[in-house]
Amino acid sequence: GNSVTQMEGPVTLSEEAFLTINCTYTATGYPSLFWYVQYPGEGLQLLLKATKADDKGSNKGFEATYRKETTSFHLEKGSVQVSDSAVYFCGGGTSYGKLTFGQGTILTVHP
Amino acid sequence: KAGVTQTPRYLIKTRGQQVTLSCSPISGHRSVSWYQQTPGQGLQFLFEYFSETQRNKGNFPGRFSGRQFSNSRSEMNVSTLELGDSALYLCASREEGGSYNEQFFGPGTRLTVL
């Protein structure tokens, strides 16, 4: 079956620091890959997505590139803000309405 | 368009009871998936419904069931509740077709079993 391995953290950074959260996947076929973000007391919001090898997803300063050769989809941001503090989930899916998620990474950004 | 809505937002039940959670997808979305989120197990897929039929199922016991109505609204039911069923239950809807498997999530229902 499919599986997603995600850097668990927690990750604590100062404002304007560089962020990387690692994510690798194992799947039959070539899944679409996603990063979702969850703020306290809320559901998951889609942050960015990629559907095929070498696709780069980007949104709100966050980026991730679908690397088929390393089966990775690492999340990066050049300069984090306090408002980026949240839980980040890497997920993948090959068909229909089933996504497999990593364990989530708690990010805390201090002023 | 309105987003995915889930009711109720919070529930408290006792062991042995049963519970029904409701999810209304984004207008035009016919696929509805359910996930369980717990601190220990993370996000786990329960099942997916499309056109009133269960199309995909995760590894949960038969106490967990669901259904979908002709207007695409979905309910999930948990019978004989156990303490371990305490979790955030998330519903997600998806637009069939297209090249993505992108899902849009609701705010969740927080179930506490005492």
Side-chain angles (χ1 to χ4, degrees), chain A residues 32 34 36 38 41-46 49-51 87 89 92-103, chain B residues 9 31 33 35 37 39-43 45 48 55-56 88 90 94 96 99-107:
Chain A
S32 296
F34 305 89
Y36 282 86
Q38 185 177 37
E42 298 183 12
L44 273 65
Q45 297 177 26
L46 178 66
K49 61 192 177 191
T51 60
V87 184
F89 290 93
T94 51
S95 65
Y96 301 139
K98 178 179 179 180
L99 287 175
T100 300
F101 288 96
Q103 283 293 96
Chain B
R9 291 294 309 277
S31 166
S33 299
Y35 295 83
Q37 185 179 14
Q41 299 297 317
L43 275 159
F45 172 78
E48 185 230 0
R55 187 161 64 174
N56 216 336
L88 180 67
L90 293 165
R94 172 177 171 266
E96 195 69 6
S99 58
Y100 305 130
N101 195 20
E102 179 177 345
Q103 296 182 23
F104 297 85
F105 284 80

Side-chain angles (χ1 to χ4, degrees), chain B:
Chain B
K1 283 184 181 178
V4 177
T5 58
Q6 293 187 244
T7 56
R9 291 294 309 277
Y10 302 91
L11 264 179
I12 299 176
K13 293 285 187 180
T14 56
R15 278 181 299 175
Q17 288 187 309
Q18 75 165 17
V19 67
T20 298
L21 313 181
S22 181
C23 171
S24 292
I26 292 171
S27 178
H29 288 195
R30 293 161 60 197
S31 166
V32 174
S33 299
W34 289 89
Y35 295 83
Q36 181 195 64
Q37 185 179 14
T38 59
Q41 299 297 317
L43 275 159
Q44 293 188 291
F45 172 78
L46 281 155
F47 31 65
E48 185 230 0
Y49 285 86
F50 176 75
S51 290
E52 303 178 63
T53 301
Q54 187 181 88
R55 187 161 64 174
N56 216 336
K57 189 178 188 303
N59 296 322
F60 279 81
R63 300 185 298 106
F64 291 82
S65 63
R67 60 177 175 169
Q68 187 180 34
F69 302 93
S70 58
N71 61 358
S72 295
R73 189 178 70 85
S74 177
E75 290 181 346
M76 68 162 280
N77 184 276
V78 188
S79 62
T80 319
L81 284 166
E82 302 176 358
L83 295 179
D85 297 333
S86 294
L88 180 67
Y89 290 88
L90 293 165
C91 162
S93 75
R94 172 177 171 266
E95 186 173 16
E96 195 69 6
S99 58
Y100 305 130
N101 195 20
E102 179 177 345
Q103 296 182 23
F104 297 85
F105 284 80
T109 294
R110 172 75 62 184
L111 172 65
T112 301
V113 182
L114 303 176

Side-chain angles (χ1 to χ4, degrees), chain A residues 4 25 29-30 43 48 50 54 68 71-72 89 96 98-99 106:
Chain A
V4 176
Y25 66 87
Y30 300 103
L48 51 82
D54 299 326
K68 180 180 158 186
T71 64
S72 64
F89 290 93
Y96 301 139
K98 178 179 179 180
L99 287 175
I106 299 172

